Amino acid sequence: MSTVAKLRHLSFDEWLALAIAAKELLLARIRFATVPAGRIVNRLKDALQDGVDAPGSCNAARVSWAINAVAPRVPWRADCLIRAMAADRWLRRGGEHPQFFIGVAKDGEAFRAHAWLRCHGVMVTGGDGAEYTELVTPAGPTVFHQREDGAS
């Protein structure tokens, strides 16, 4: 089925989810451009300590579908951290408490970093991260520290 045919068959709720995903991705991109990365990571990680693991009203699978469908089609860069930030904000507004991860993997002589988000067993963004060594996990230490001058 062509992309146009698939779009014609979307329900109102699916169109609404795509619109919310685009908005959340834009807000995440703006936040990423205006807030130091260390502060963003610490907020994502610290938010975990306040929550419980009881399901909220937001559907993690729907958030995952919408974020990952829209991200490759927006006119700005929406890589793994932007997707995780967008999905995290959307899920928290719905009463969920997603788990945020950052990991690294060695690729020849270089390192690759990756961010992913999980909620109630659903891999919301970024896959399962199995090939990465976790640096930031829900139960792990914070690896970014704020300097007194506010920089990361």
Side-chain angles (χ1 to χ4, degrees), residues 13-144:
D13 287 343
E14 290 167 327
W15 276 107
L16 182 59
L18 293 173
I20 293 169
K23 177 197 78 163
E24 292 298 341
L25 286 164
L26 177 59
L27 291 173
R29 186 71 211 163
I30 291 168
R31 243 182 359 264
F32 185 76
T34 59
V35 177
R39 189 175 301 159
I40 290 169
V41 170
N42 283 332
R43 283 183 187 164
L44 286 166
K45 182 169 175 0
D46 290 345
L48 295 168
Q49 297 169 0
D50 298 332
V52 295
D53 199 29
S57 63
C58 200
N59 182 329
R62 172 66 55 96
V63 170
S64 177
W65 168 78
I67 291 287
N68 292 306
V70 171
R73 293 164 179 83
V74 294
W76 57 87
R77 187 173 164 192
D79 55 12
C80 58
L81 182 58
I82 302 300
R83 291 179 193 204
M85 291 168 60
D88 181 82
R89 183 174 184 274
W90 187 357
L91 288 164
R92 287 187 190 288
R93 281 195 352 263
E96 299 292 353
H97 301 281
Q99 298 171 309
F100 173 72
F101 299 84
I102 289 183
V104 294
K106 191 165 184 183
D107 189 8
E109 294 298 314
F111 282 96
R112 294 179 292 128
H114 185 55
W116 63 98
L117 198 71
R118 182 172 47 215
C119 188
H120 303 297
V122 174
M123 299 312 297
V124 181
T125 64
D128 67 4
E131 66 185 85
Y132 295 89
T133 299
E134 296 173 356
L135 295 178
V136 175
T137 65
T142 302
V143 295
F144 295 100

